Amino acid sequence: MIRWLQDNMPKIVLAPSFIAVMVFVYGFIAWTAWVSLTRSRLMPRYEFDSLIQYERLADSPRFETAMVNLAIFGTLFIVIAMALGLLLAILLDQKIRTEGAIRTIYLYPMALSMIVTGTAWKWILNPELGIEATVKGWGFANFEFNWLVDPDMAIYTVVLAAVWQSSGFVMALFLAGLRSVDEEIIKAAQVDGIPTWRVYSAIIIPSMAPIFLSAFIVLAHLAIKAFDLVIALTGGGPGYATDLPATYMYAMAFSRGDIGQAASSAMVMMLVVFTIVVPYLYSELRTKND
Amino acid sequence: MTDRPYAQTRTQSPTTKLVLRFILYILLGVFALFYLMPLFVMITTSLKSLDEIRTGDLISLPREITFDAWRTAWSGACTGIQCEGVRPYFLNSLLIAIPAVLISTIIGALNGYVVAQWKFKGANIFFALLLFGCFIPFQVVLLPMAIVLGKLGISGTITGLIFVHVIYGIGFTTLFFRNYYVSIPSELTKAAMIDGAGFFRIFWSIFLPLSLPIIVVSVIWQFTQIWNDFLFGVSFSQAGTQPVTVALNNIVNSTTGVKEYNVDMAAAIIAALPTLLVYVVAGKYFIRGLTAGSVKG
């Protein structure tokens, strides 16, 4: 018995986590998938029905707005955060004496809760008392900056706040990447008289392809999960102009009492994550096992 | 190459170099202002009186510093019908975060030790399943979790939130420890086994003493995640058990009475202080945690 225990101890230690993952991750996904195929409303029902919930999603203008917003927000957020992160990393890579301090300043927003970030930016972008009032106070009486309450522009305030929060992290990733490029190659290129910008564009940046991929995955993941930020910054408004699938799901689950819609929109989110993350994880795990 | 050894070596004139350096520092400074501005605005706003906020502008320093807003934010601001400030919720966050961080780190250390050092058939599949679990949007587990917490009799409790954070935290903690332990040669384990040491003895006497850096990474990561969590907090708490992020959001969106922006900002800073402190004290480990999830191997 003791011998058996000793031999199987690794499995025994892993067992609770294994069960937890199977139940609370995969079991729950299966539950949500199943319920998304029923006519559940206030209470979950388990009789399989049809794709009715997905048809309702397709017909819902609110969910359409949420998906369009996810596309706008996701694209802009990822592109801007990556570009800014790369720029900052390259600037910081020029043997800056105060690098440590500057890096700390660029990265601290990542330590904040998105609720804090949203609260701060909501105040800064407040049309009556924020930037607009400040610039007006400087004498520009006609200055207008009311994106936060403009249904067409509000989603861009979410992009702004999200970029502010996450670009420092991308910088940290890229900076680590820049530092890992072989110094000798760079020196050789410089001796050959290749201008610095060419060294970056032709040698250093191409060699960082895996880091671009990592940054993309992390940012895409943040974008799909962005929920807190919208809640704190715009509350999904004005109207539902800044709804994302995540806030739509939450509204359906906890305030509208429409479990079928909540489950099906969650599955759509799952699908989006799946198509991005699975190829990445697959290639990561494969190269590791080789 | 050989016939033009130095011909093309670019030599910039000292003036050009100086100008470029100058532009570089200006750019770095402008970006630093961009990142610091919200924090600056939060702090100054929290120290102003409401009158001054209405008449002054966003970026001016307070004419008269007052800590009234901080007092109200800590113990008087209204989160809906209750007006006790963020203090009780700050305590809730501590009561949730501390046990959840410790438990998930311990489980992660043991799991990582097994996956990295005691390879058996299926261990890699387990790791892959676990890793994928790190990436799911939590919306997909909210509804069944609400039901299960109800069945376990812990819905709306601190215990329930600890439970949820442990469950969805072990993916990352296992990842941290696995990636750390995988670089320790397995000969060490084998030699210890020949000497008669068992599973736990090897972990306790060989692996744990080596683990301080990764324990710090894991603790900081988990603490930041759990402290900053909003989705689980707002979904699985009830009046009285809400974490500080939920309380902050309620204060800011509270519709009763006059809108007190200075109180909102003070409350936001209070909610941010613990993780900011961790970042300032242990920034190096914070960054390692951030990058460990994305740049692996």
Side-chain angles (χ1 to χ4, degrees):
Chain A
M1 178 67 190
I2 289 169
R3 172 102 213 122
W4 182 89
L5 263 182
Q6 264 174 1
D7 287 348
N8 288 287
M9 196 43 91
K11 287 177 194 170
I12 296 167
V13 166
L14 224 47
S17 297
F18 179 73
I19 294 167
V21 169
M22 290 320 281
V23 172
F24 294 105
V25 175
Y26 297 95
F28 278 11
I29 293 173
W31 188 96
T32 305
W34 180 256
V35 167
S36 79
L37 299 171
T38 66
R39 283 185 183 270
S40 302
R41 274 284 176 138
L42 206 57
M43 296 300 279
R45 291 167 48 177
Y46 301 104
E47 304 86 45
F48 172 83
D49 196 282
S50 59
L51 291 173
I52 177 85
Q53 299 298 348
Y54 293 93
E55 285 160 19
R56 285 177 65 206
L57 278 185
D59 289 338
S60 157
R62 184 173 176 182
F63 191 69
E64 194 190 322
T65 311
M67 289 301 277
V68 171
N69 278 341
L70 178 62
I72 297 174
F73 168 71
T75 312
L76 286 177
F77 167 61
I78 293 170
V79 169
I80 298 174
M82 288 249 246
L84 189 58
L86 182 61
L87 173 69
L88 293 175
I90 292 175
L91 290 180
L92 263 186
D93 196 32
Q94 308 306 315
K95 300 188 175 63
I96 304 295
R97 216 172 307 150
T98 48
E99 186 194 307
I102 297 178
R103 221 174 38 199
T104 306
I105 292 171
Y106 290 175
L107 196 61
Y108 86 89
M110 200 67 192
L112 303 179
S113 156
M114 292 225 191
I115 297 292
V116 172
T117 301
T119 304
W121 281 97
K122 185 181 188 165
W123 166 235
I124 293 166
L125 298 169
N126 181 316
E128 283 152 45
L129 296 164
I131 290 181
E132 183 177 306
T134 305
V135 176
K136 272 185 181 160
W138 291 342
F140 303 93
N142 293 323
F143 181 80
E144 248 186 61
F145 190 70
N146 56 358
W147 285 11
L148 198 59
V149 291
D150 180 344
D152 292 328
M153 302 305 285
I155 189 70
Y156 301 105
T157 64
V158 184
V159 175
L160 173 65
V163 166
W164 178 79
Q165 175 144 39
S166 311
S167 45
F169 162 64
V170 185
M171 175 216 66
L173 271 185
F174 281 138
L175 198 57
L178 291 173
R179 297 280 154 83
S180 65
V181 177
D182 191 356
E183 286 258 349
E184 293 302 312
I185 301 173
I186 300 169
K187 273 192 194 134
Q190 278 164 345
V191 168
D192 276 356
I194 298 163
T196 313
W197 68 270
R198 279 291 292 163
V199 174
Y200 274 104
S201 66
I203 301 172
I204 300 178
I205 292 173
S207 75
M208 297 202 308
I211 295 184
F212 274 90
L213 186 63
S214 297
F216 171 77
I217 295 289
V218 174
L219 291 174
H221 188 236
L222 280 176
I224 296 160
K225 280 186 161 180
F227 165 75
D228 335 16
L229 188 60
V230 173
I231 295 289
L233 188 63
T234 64
Y240 48 75
T242 50
D243 245 351
L244 289 176
T247 55
Y248 180 90
M249 184 276 163
Y250 187 82
M252 291 301 148
F254 294 99
S255 45
R256 291 287 196 89
D258 196 335
I259 287 179
Q261 281 293 283
S264 55
S265 55
M267 288 313 290
V268 171
M269 290 178 67
M270 181 75 204
L271 202 70
V272 177
V273 174
F274 208 77
T275 48
I276 294 174
V277 168
V278 164
Y280 170 73
L281 279 186
Y282 183 71
S283 68
E284 280 276 300
L285 288 170
R286 234 176 53 145
T287 47
K288 209 164 275 166
N289 288 343
D290 282 346
Chain B
M1 284 290 267
T2 44
D3 57 336
R4 47 181 179 88
Y6 303 110
Q8 291 196 1
T9 308
R10 281 160 62 98
T11 44
Q12 291 163 329
S13 74
T15 347
T16 325
K17 234 180 183 167
L18 209 66
V19 170
L20 281 176
R21 280 313 266 185
F22 186 70
I23 296 173
L24 179 66
Y25 275 95
I26 294 279
L27 272 174
L28 287 170
V30 168
F31 281 116
L33 285 181
F34 169 65
Y35 289 104
L36 283 174
M37 185 269 288
L39 187 64
F40 172 80
V41 169
M42 282 164 85
I43 294 171
T44 53
T45 305
S46 75
L47 297 173
K48 290 176 187 172
S49 67
L50 263 187
D51 282 338
E52 198 183 331
I53 288 173
R54 285 206 201 86
T55 52
D57 66 36
L58 203 59
I59 53 171
S60 62
L61 288 168
R63 281 191 299 271
E64 213 174 312
I65 290 180
T66 158
F67 289 96
D68 288 350
W70 282 76
R71 225 164 291 137
T72 312
W74 181 244
S75 56
C78 298
T79 56
I81 38 168
Q82 272 141 330
C83 296
E84 307 163 279
V86 293
R87 187 177 50 189
Y89 308 99
F90 193 92
L91 285 179
N92 284 346
S93 277
L94 284 178
L95 289 176
I96 295 164
I98 293 170
V101 167
L102 293 180
I103 297 169
S104 58
T105 298
I106 292 168
I107 297 176
L110 283 168
N111 284 348
Y113 167 61
V114 172
V115 176
Q117 295 284 332
W118 297 80
K119 296 204 172 89
F120 56 84
K121 217 174 154 207
N124 271 331
I125 296 170
F126 165 78
F127 185 61
L129 286 172
L130 197 66
L131 205 57
F132 181 72
C134 294
F135 284 98
I136 59 162
F138 289 132
Q139 276 76 11
V140 87
V141 299
L142 281 188
L143 291 167
M145 188 48 112
I147 295 173
V148 167
L149 288 178
K151 291 249 160 77
L152 294 174
I154 50 175
S155 74
T157 64
I158 301 277
T159 317
L161 280 168
I162 295 171
F163 178 75
V164 173
H165 282 300
V166 168
I167 294 283
Y168 297 108
I170 51 178
F172 271 103
T173 55
T174 303
L175 172 70
F176 291 146
F177 283 96
R178 182 262 183 201
N179 285 355
Y180 189 77
Y181 289 152
V182 101
S183 61
I184 297 173
S186 58
E187 282 72 24
L188 214 57
T189 311
K190 282 180 193 132
M193 277 172 78
I194 291 166
D195 287 348
F199 177 85
F200 286 108
R201 173 116 187 99
I202 296 173
F203 178 69
W204 187 258
S205 331
I206 299 177
F207 284 85
L208 212 53
L210 295 170
S211 307
L212 188 64
I214 201 66
I215 291 173
V216 176
V217 167
S218 172
V219 165
I220 288 178
W221 170 267
Q222 280 298 90
F223 180 75
T224 321
Q225 290 297 306
I226 296 170
W227 188 273
N228 289 343
D229 161 72
F230 178 74
L231 182 62
F232 289 147
V234 76
S235 305
F236 302 133
S237 66
Q238 58 192 34
T241 59
Q242 287 140 337
V244 72
T245 47
V246 177
L248 170 64
N249 192 52
N250 288 344
I251 288 174
V252 175
N253 293 312
S254 161
T255 43
T256 45
V258 192
K259 197 89 213 70
E260 294 180 292
Y261 297 104
N262 47 2
V263 174
D264 292 355
M265 290 305 120
I269 299 171
I270 293 171
L273 270 182
T275 48
L276 268 184
L277 199 72
V278 165
Y279 172 64
V280 170
V281 171
K284 196 178 74 179
Y285 295 99
F286 176 75
I287 297 167
R288 260 179 73 177
L290 279 177
T291 47
S294 41
V295 194
K296 286 182 251 95

